[in-house]
Each structure stands twice: as C-alpha cells, then as structure tokens.
Amino acid sequence: PGLRGLEKAAVRAGGGVNHRGSLSDGILVKDNHLGGLTIGDAVRRARMRWPGRMVEVECDSLEQLDEAIAANADMVLLDNMTPEMVAIAVDTTNRRLPLEVSGGVTVETIADYAETGVDFISVGAITHSAPVLDIGLDLER
C-alpha cells in the first residue's frame, strides 16, 4: 500500500508504459457492472455522468467486443483471451480503438500476445509479484 507511484515509475524505468495512473483516470466498465445493463447502456451512462472521461470496456468474448465497438467505447480491455482470440480482436477493430490485454498474461506468454499487434499488455506479475525489500529500523536507547 502507498507504493503505486513507485511501481508505475519502475515500469517506466524498465521500458514499459503506463497508459493510466490509476482507475480514476478513466472509467472501466467491468462485466460485474453490467447487472441488468447492456454494454451500450453502461457506456452511455458513464459518458452522461462523467463527460470527457475515457470509457474502457472489459470484454471476455468477441461478441462483447462487437458490443463495445457499437457503443463507441474509447478503449477495450480483452480479459483472459488467448493470443488467437486477441489476434481476431485486433483484426476486428482494424485500429479503430486501442486494445489492452489483461488476465493470464505471464512473462512466458507475453511475446505471443505482443505478436498479435495489440496496443497494451498488462502483466500484473511485474508489480504484484515483485519481491519485497526487507528494510528494518531498530532504535536503541
């Protein structure tokens, strides 16, 4: 906790890119936000309530990707898709909007995802699985 800024800086120092600083930089419509709503409804409501913010839609199927495109989402997060599915998504969007891959990506599989031509790849392992530095401060009297 409290180290997000340092984690983001470490990603940049290692050659990565931070396309957002935090979730407050935009709206992420996740599947669990869609209870009783379509993707189109969720994007429309997000734009109405928070005008000017980027609206990214999490999609775990190619059908949902089609809905996000039709809803004019600004960006799509392809969740837990195989590299083959991601390649189809890249072809489907034809660069009309940025695509981010997330979920299940490892250091071992990242090259397969990069070869698809996707715009962003999130690899949580570089931050949430980074080893800790054990620092102690002992005070003596």
Side-chain angles (χ1 to χ4, degrees), residues 26-121:
I27 295 136
L28 176 59
V29 176
K30 295 182 63 68
D31 54 359
N32 57 340
H33 298 150
L34 297 175
L37 292 175
T38 66
I39 288 174
D41 290 337
V43 170
R44 211 170 9 267
R45 286 183 182 195
R47 290 197 193 288
M48 183 178 61
R49 290 190 176 132
W50 299 282
R53 290 276 172 108
M54 176 195 65
V55 179
E56 182 174 8
V57 177
E58 177 187 70
C59 298
D60 56 15
S61 72
L62 295 172
E63 293 77 21
Q64 287 181 330
L65 173 64
D66 291 336
E67 289 181 55
I69 292 168
N72 291 316
D74 297 307
M75 187 170 175
V76 170
L77 185 148
L78 304 171
D79 190 38
N80 291 309
M81 290 191 183
T82 65
E84 295 77 21
M85 290 175 70
V86 171
I88 293 169
V90 168
D91 287 343
T92 298
T93 61
N94 197 27
R95 300 279 177 215
R96 288 178 284 178
L97 72 164
L99 297 175
E100 174 185 5
V101 172
S102 183
V105 180
T106 65
V107 174
E108 293 77 28
T109 62
I110 194 168
D112 296 331
Y113 286 99
E115 288 175 2
T116 67
V118 72
D119 301 289
F120 300 100
I121 303 172

